[in-house]
Amino acid sequence: MKKLMHLVGAIVLIMVPSLASAQAGTANSVAAPAGFAPMQAPCVQQADKSCVAVSTTAPFPTSAVPLSAAASTALTGTVTSSAVTPTSGAATIAAGVATIGPLAPELGRGIRVILRGTWSGTFALGTSVDACATINPLTIGGSTWGSFTGSANEIVDIPTLAGVAYCATATVSAGTLTYGVRQ
């Protein structure tokens, strides 16, 4: 047993220089801060091609560039109990009920619904694959989402599927609703 331990010790002494040079790394390597244990954290590449652990002094790189204007055409207008006046986007009406749209969205950008005015009724945003002939409600966990009974200004969805348009239905029983659906 003693001979075996001496043999293991001799092998370790022979390998120490090669282990040390492997841990020293080069400018293009990713080396752990301590030099002997594998790093288990994300790292950020530096100008010299080395990589350092993410920290307050080496944060993840991000871009603070503002988005350009959306390419989609906003749906805007007003609805009363007897009339619809679309400013942009098609609208059909029957006795205070309007179908508004379609909005062909730019994928990856939020769809914002802006509702204002003094009005009673409902406004609901949905999706369609047939230019608003059929409107599927927005849902989350099986519950309706993107349906309003008062003024609002919020992002209700972020489109990710090509070929799906956004359409709205507005039912105004009293007052005037001014709407906007845009990106």
Side-chain angles (χ1 to χ4, degrees), residues 57-145:
T57 57
F60 272 124
T62 58
S63 176
V65 176
L67 290 174
S68 59
S72 60
T73 302
L75 306 175
T76 59
T78 59
V79 181
T80 67
S81 59
S82 61
V84 175
T85 309
T87 308
S88 65
T92 59
I93 181 169
V97 178
T99 300
I100 303 158
L103 168 73
E106 191 174 322
L107 300 182
R109 282 183 180 258
I111 303 287
R112 181 173 292 277
V113 171
I114 301 169
L115 306 173
R116 60 185 193 276
T118 303
W119 60 286
S120 297
T122 60
F123 184 95
L125 190 67
T127 59
S128 178
V129 293
D130 58 10
C132 301
T134 307
I135 301 174
N136 302 303
L138 293 181
T139 59
I140 186 166
S143 297
T144 301
W145 177 260

